[in-house]
Amino acid sequence: MSSLVSNQKPSSELFVLGAGGHTSVLVDMLRQQEQPITGIVSADLAQEDNELRSVLKGLPQYFSDDDILAFSADSVRLVNGIGAIPKRLTRIKLFNDFKAQGYRFASVISLHAIVSPFANLGEGVQVMPGAIIQAGADIGDNCIINTGSIVEHDCVIEAHSHLAPHATLCGQVHVGEGTFIGAGAVVIQNITIGSEAIIAAGARVHKHVQAGETVI
């Protein structure tokens, strides 16, 4: 399975936005698959006391998102290396801002994930090692399916949502846009979770969750 999913023709220009922990995992996945990376982009790289993570060393560094604008939108693929944190909208804003300017985001899928060919993945989806996505699942744009997470058959996960490591969605769960499901949480079958909800780590969800609700 290719690590990059895009409707555009392959391009030699692949930029990863960010330089933190989430970026390091994505770059590691891309390097394992011998995907060429044009550079990493982050204002943090310009700080004098910055210690570059070992997996990022040797990659060209760009210090502003505006540096991307020097490249035409049709010649560039972007990888969103900003992690998803509840109530922090940086990742979503970055995605929407570049999309509004015509840029495309590549999906990154680990060689060690299992993704059914009968699942649908939107633009910029990231699937980490050990994750499983079953037949009939529909994953929206800019979602993260993190390490060891399970998305069972016919689940729908709307855009900008994040399943933290080892979260489990049983069959036919519907997750609203911008929702965060914490590490080790389990959602039983046929549950609907509203947009921008937060499911805490280790939670067991047995009933529907309203938009913006936090479940502990």
Side-chain angles (χ1 to χ4, degrees):
M1 176 177 291
S2 171
S3 70
L4 298 175
V5 180
S6 174
N7 290 329
Q8 291 189 341
K9 294 179 181 179
S11 167
S12 61
E13 309 297 348
L14 178 66
F15 290 92
V16 183
L17 308 178
H22 189 64
T23 291
S24 69
V25 174
L26 292 167
V27 168
D28 188 24
M29 290 161 56
L30 291 167
R31 283 187 148 178
Q32 288 178 35
Q33 298 174 28
E34 300 182 350
Q35 293 285 350
I37 300 171
T38 305
I40 52 175
V41 185
S42 174
D44 293 339
L45 296 170
Q47 297 177 7
E48 291 185 3
D49 60 349
N50 177 66
E51 291 189 16
L52 197 65
R53 295 170 185 267
S54 59
V55 72
L56 306 180
K57 290 180 179 178
L59 296 175
Q61 300 175 29
Y62 296 79
F63 306 132
S64 171
D65 293 342
D66 290 341
D67 292 334
I68 301 297
L69 303 181
F71 298 83
S72 63
D74 61 358
S75 69
V76 168
R77 294 169 296 164
L78 304 178
V79 173
N80 194 345
I82 306 302
I85 300 173
K87 303 301 183 182
R88 184 177 177 182
L89 302 179
T90 306
R91 176 181 172 86
I92 299 173
K93 184 178 185 302
L94 190 67
F95 183 89
N96 288 336
D97 285 351
F98 274 108
K99 284 291 294 176
Q101 297 178 81
Y103 290 86
R104 297 282 295 174
F105 282 80
S107 292
V108 183
I109 303 168
S110 171
L111 289 172
H112 306 292
I114 299 173
V115 180
S116 168
F118 299 100
N120 179 57
L121 274 58
E123 181 177 345
V125 169
Q126 298 165 357
V127 185
M128 303 309 194
I132 300 173
I133 301 176
Q134 300 283 30
D138 192 330
I139 314 298
D141 295 348
N142 198 39
C143 285
I144 302 172
I145 309 301
N146 221 319
T147 308
S149 293
I150 298 174
V151 180
E152 271 296 342
H153 65 88
D154 303 308
C155 287
V156 175
I157 303 176
E158 295 185 19
H160 311 301
S161 293
H162 178 197
L163 267 63
H166 294 284
T168 298
L169 304 184
C170 297
Q172 297 177 296
V173 172
H174 190 123
V175 176
E177 182 172 323
T179 288
F180 181 91
I181 299 180
V186 176
V187 183
I188 68 165
Q189 64 274 12
N190 299 313
I191 292 295
T192 296
I193 298 174
S195 61
E196 300 181 1
I198 298 174
I199 309 301
R204 298 295 183 263
V205 180
H206 300 274
K207 61 181 181 179
H208 300 313
V209 177
Q210 299 298 312
E213 184 179 352
T214 296
V215 176
I216 299 175

